[in-house]
């Protein structure tokens, strides 16, 4: 008997938009995202994320972008919503606080118990690399990593913990392409997400050489959002 192996949808994503439920966004931008050709939308952020603001944003996205995969990136267990296509669960590899490595996760699993649909869960091994980002400060991340050190975290996440996704996170600033390249070179099976400071064709093209998926966040909250959407999608497709 042969078994059909289909790869999960996220393996095919090249371009993902991350929207922060705690920030304001107009219907015009949401509609443009829906029509843009992006592969998925993540709902997530670090600060002031609540059930209410996440559910409100999800409702707007469902209305304006019914065909787009919508995934919640869980950063607080009391903000978990129903009705998304999947849940990204961040695990911060270079945190100095075990809470962000496993503690928050164990608490959430205790809380939700048997209600968790594990077939909808995607584990992301995060390397948090911009010391000025809220996520770096919250998690006490050791952001001063050489490319070799970052690649060693990536190898550990993949080989020792079987993580399917490595997320190279420079949220708020454009990162080091050499570090991303070293992580990508080291990874054997893991899928590489890159996010941080992508706001142009050139930056997207540079990081798309090494990452499987680019995540675009802050630039969509600027006056230049239309150009950003157009150019970053053109760079990866
Ligand atoms: C319906 C139902 C019952 C569903 C079950 C839900 C489910 C799937 C549960 C699974 C259980 C589980 C393991 C949940 C995880 C719980 C949890 C709170 C884990 C901690 C996650 C974590 C490490 C958070 C730290 C912050 C982080 C990494 C956030 C990711 C997003 C991010 C980095 C945004 C960018 O942030 P920021 O720094 O603010 O950047 P800007 O300044 O540029 O905006
Ligand atoms: O907001 P930017 O800097 O685009 O980063 C995207 C994403 O990686 C944030 O979690
Ligand atoms: Mg933020």
């Amino acid at each position: 008997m042969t078994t059909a192996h289909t790869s999960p949808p996220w393996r095919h994503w090249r371009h993902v938009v991350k929207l922060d439920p705690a920030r304001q966004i107009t219907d015009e931008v949401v509609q443009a995202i829906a029509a843009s050709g992006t592969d998925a939308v993540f709902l997530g952020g670090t600060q002031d994320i609540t059930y209410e603001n996440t559910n409100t944003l999800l409702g707007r996205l469902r209305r304006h972008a019914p065909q787009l995969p919508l995934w919640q990136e869980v950063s607080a267990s009391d903000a978990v919503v129903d009705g998304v296509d999947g849940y990204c669960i961040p695990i911060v590899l270079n945190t100095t606080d075990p809470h962000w490595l496993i503690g928050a996760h164990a608490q959430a699993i205790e809380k939700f118990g048997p209600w968790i649909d594990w077939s909808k869960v995607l584990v992301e091994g995060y390397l948090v690399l911009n010391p000025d980002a809220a996520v770096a400060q919250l998690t006490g991340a050791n952001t001063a990593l050489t490319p070799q050190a970052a690649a060693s975290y990536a190898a550990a996440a993949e080989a020792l913990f079987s993580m399917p996704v490595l997320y190279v996170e420079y949220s708020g600033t454009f990162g080091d392409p050499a570090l991303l390249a070293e992580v990508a070179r080291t990874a054997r099976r893991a899928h590489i997400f890159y996010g941080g400071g992508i706001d142009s064709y050139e930056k997207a093209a540079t990081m798309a050489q090494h990452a499987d998926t680019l995540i675009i966040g802050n630039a969509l909250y600027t006056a230049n959002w239309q150009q950003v959407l157009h150019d970053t999608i053109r760079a990866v497709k």
Side-chain angles (χ1 to χ4, degrees):
M1 194 175 81
T2 55
T3 312
H5 290 285
T6 52
S7 49
W10 47 267
R11 284 265 176 207
H12 306 285
W13 296 341
R14 292 286 288 151
H15 186 282
V16 168
V17 162
K18 190 182 288 190
L19 297 181
D20 185 335
R23 296 175 78 175
Q24 300 302 315
I25 195 151
T26 62
D27 282 348
E28 187 190 8
V29 183
V30 173
Q31 282 159 2
I33 290 168
S36 67
T38 193
D39 295 310
V41 176
F42 288 176
L43 293 81
T46 301
Q47 294 165 304
D48 306 318
I49 305 299
T50 64
Y51 175 86
E52 287 72 23
N53 59 27
T54 305
N55 209 35
T56 300
L57 179 60
L58 177 63
R60 292 178 65 206
L61 284 161
R62 281 278 175 242
R63 206 160 44 252
H64 294 297
Q67 82 293 355
L68 263 186
L70 304 176
W71 286 54
Q72 181 175 18
E73 194 171 48
V74 179
S75 57
S77 68
D78 51 10
V80 168
V81 295
D82 262 330
V84 286
D85 298 301
Y87 299 93
C88 294
I89 306 295
I91 289 181
V92 180
L93 302 170
N94 57 330
T95 179
T96 52
D97 180 350
H99 182 73
W100 304 111
L101 191 63
I102 192 136
H105 311 76
Q107 284 172 5
I109 289 168
E110 188 173 352
K111 171 177 168 178
F112 291 115
W115 302 108
I116 300 172
D117 179 354
W118 289 106
S119 70
K120 286 188 164 185
V121 168
L122 175 61
V123 174
E124 302 169 319
Y126 257 76
L127 279 170
V128 172
L129 294 162
N130 174 12
D132 297 325
V135 63
Q137 285 157 19
L138 175 75
T139 63
N142 171 19
T143 57
L145 299 183
T146 61
Q148 289 68 32
S152 301
Y153 273 102
E158 181 185 67
L160 302 180
F161 297 102
S162 303
M163 290 189 186
V165 167
L166 297 166
Y167 193 136
V168 177
E169 169 68 294
Y170 279 93
S171 181
T173 192
F174 188 64
D176 177 4
L179 184 148
L180 178 63
E182 191 60 20
V183 168
R185 199 183 62 76
T186 304
R188 294 181 172 199
R189 291 174 308 278
H191 187 96
I192 311 290
F193 284 178
Y194 171 81
I198 295 191
D199 59 5
S200 69
Y201 178 93
E202 291 70 24
K203 288 178 188 166
T206 298
M207 291 315 197
Q209 290 176 49
H210 312 296
D212 299 301
T213 305
L214 299 185
I215 322 277
I216 320 296
N218 282 302
L220 296 168
Y221 294 87
T222 66
N224 206 25
W225 61 267
Q226 227 155 0
Q227 189 77 42
V228 168
L229 259 185
H230 177 267
D231 291 354
T232 58
I233 286 171
R234 196 164 54 88
V236 300
K237 300 261 176 171

